Amino acid sequence: MVTKESRRMQSGFTLIEALIILAVIGILTALAVPSFSLLIERKNLEGAAEKMFADFQYAKSEALKRDAQVFISFDPDPGNACYGLALDPGCDCTGGGIDCVIDGVSKVVNISDYGATGFTQNFVDETSYDPRRGNIVNIGTVSFTSPSVMAIDVVCIRFRMKICSSFD
């Protein structure tokens, strides 16, 4: 005979119920991980493009402030993609950035800091800002890409820049 007292002592989950809950949690996690990794990849890509956009704006403000050209040099080498800012042309961002300096501060950005992203650009090797007009000397596009074939572009037009993405 089952009494109230014995029922109270038997309350709780059975082992089968706990295993079913764990299986459901495992399935939901397995479904969420791929989309989460794509989200991280997308945010890395956006971060790289926004950093370059900010550096172009910085170069423009420094050119206007100094009344001198500020150069942005690119090295899209897939293994060591980087770019650097300097007051003199020919900044080599791959060599530790010792010549990519403004006011004693190294201005080198390694694209590897942004996960698995890389970039291509259609500038020659570098571009600069004209201090008298505040515009970029060479117009062009820098395209950031990731292994999932997503792309985001920093487009440099004479007097303004914009960021365009293929996943808006």
Side-chain angles (χ1 to χ4, degrees):
M1 177 169 156
V2 179
T3 64
K4 277 186 166 180
E5 219 171 275
S6 65
R7 254 191 238 147
R8 206 177 295 149
M9 295 181 76
Q10 294 178 2
S11 65
F13 295 109
T14 65
L15 181 61
I16 301 223
E17 290 170 333
L19 289 175
I20 289 172
I21 290 172
L22 285 176
V24 168
I25 289 173
I27 290 169
L28 291 176
T29 303
L31 293 173
V33 166
S35 64
F36 186 67
S37 63
L38 283 175
L39 176 69
I40 290 173
E41 191 174 325
R42 178 179 172 175
K43 291 300 176 186
N44 283 340
L45 201 62
E46 288 174 356
E50 288 172 2
K51 174 66 174 150
M52 180 170 279
F53 184 84
D55 285 339
F56 269 87
Q57 295 294 341
Y58 175 77
K60 180 179 181 177
S61 68
E62 285 295 311
L64 294 172
K65 179 177 92 173
R66 297 170 185 277
D67 194 28
Q69 284 187 315
V70 174
F71 296 88
I72 303 168
S73 301
F74 302 97
D75 185 1
D77 175 38
N80 193 22
C82 62
Y83 67 90
L85 284 71
L87 299 175
D88 298 318
C91 156
D92 180 17
C93 61
T94 60
I98 55 174
D99 50 346
C100 301
V101 175
I102 296 177
D103 288 337
V105 178
S106 177
K107 296 291 182 181
V108 173
V109 176
N110 292 312
I111 302 304
S112 62
D113 294 345
Y114 295 93
T117 61
F119 76 93
T120 57
Q121 44 83 20
N122 62 3
F123 298 107
V124 181
D125 281 330
E126 68 183 1
T127 188
S128 65
Y129 271 97
D130 177 7
R132 289 180 184 79
R133 291 197 167 132
N135 66 344
I136 197 160
V137 173
N138 302 324
I139 60 173
T141 302
V142 179
S143 297
F144 291 90
T145 55
S146 70
S148 298
V149 195
M150 295 186 289
I152 191 166
D153 297 332
V154 177
V155 180
C156 303
I157 305 170
R158 282 279 176 219
F159 292 101
R160 65 169 225 226
M161 294 182 347
K162 63 181 181 175
I163 296 178
C164 308
S165 71
S166 61
F167 43 82
D168 277 342

